[in-house]
Structures are given as C-alpha cells and as structure tokens.
Amino acid sequence: MYATQALTHLVPLAKEVDDNKVTPGVLGFIVFAVLAVGVWLLMKSMNRHMGKVDFVEAPDPAEASDAPVAAGSAKRK
C-alpha cells in the first residue's frame, strides 16, 4: 500500500523533468572523480608492489633429473 502511494506522489515530479536537460550534475562528477582517484591510487600501489618482486625462474624438473652426460657418450631417450 505504501509503495503505490509513493509512486503516485513521485510520478508527477518525474513529468516536470525536461528530458533535454537531464545531466549527472555535481554529484555524478564527484562520484566519477572519487572513482578515478581510487583507481589511480590502486595502480600506483600495484606498480610499487610489483617493483619489489624478484622473480627467478626455477629450473625445469625434467632437465634437472638428467645426469650430466660424459664426453663422447650419447643421451638415451
């Protein structure tokens, strides 16, 4: 019952809005600016953390298990 009453009160207000002049306004700009600053700060933090990573690739276990080949002998498959 309350939802229908609220709708009947809001419908006349919606008809007063001109479709050609609807803009996001100041609140929309503020929300967009806050999101943009947040993304910039996250990217800056990610770059700083990725700079600290020291990645050394581990040797392939299949190659590490092969014994050193003596001079003059052939590898078995």
Side-chain angles (χ1 to χ4, degrees), residues 6-76:
L7 281 174
T8 56
H9 290 287
L10 292 176
V11 169
L13 292 175
K15 292 188 185 241
E16 295 174 6
V17 176
D18 185 12
D19 290 337
N20 296 327
K21 294 185 180 182
V22 175
T23 63
V26 176
L27 180 62
F29 175 74
I30 291 172
V31 169
F32 181 77
V34 167
L35 288 172
V37 168
V39 168
W40 181 73
L41 288 172
L42 284 171
M43 292 295 290
K44 188 174 178 181
S45 174
M46 182 191 68
N47 284 334
R48 188 174 28 219
H49 282 84
M50 292 299 287
K52 293 179 182 178
V53 173
D54 185 22
F55 178 74
V56 178
E57 189 171 343
D60 188 17
E63 291 177 10
S65 65
D66 291 340
V69 179
S73 64
K75 281 188 173 181
R76 293 184 186 176

Side-chain angles (χ1 to χ4, degrees), residues 1-9:
M1 180 85 172
Y2 293 113
T4 56
Q5 288 176 347
L7 281 174
T8 56
H9 290 287

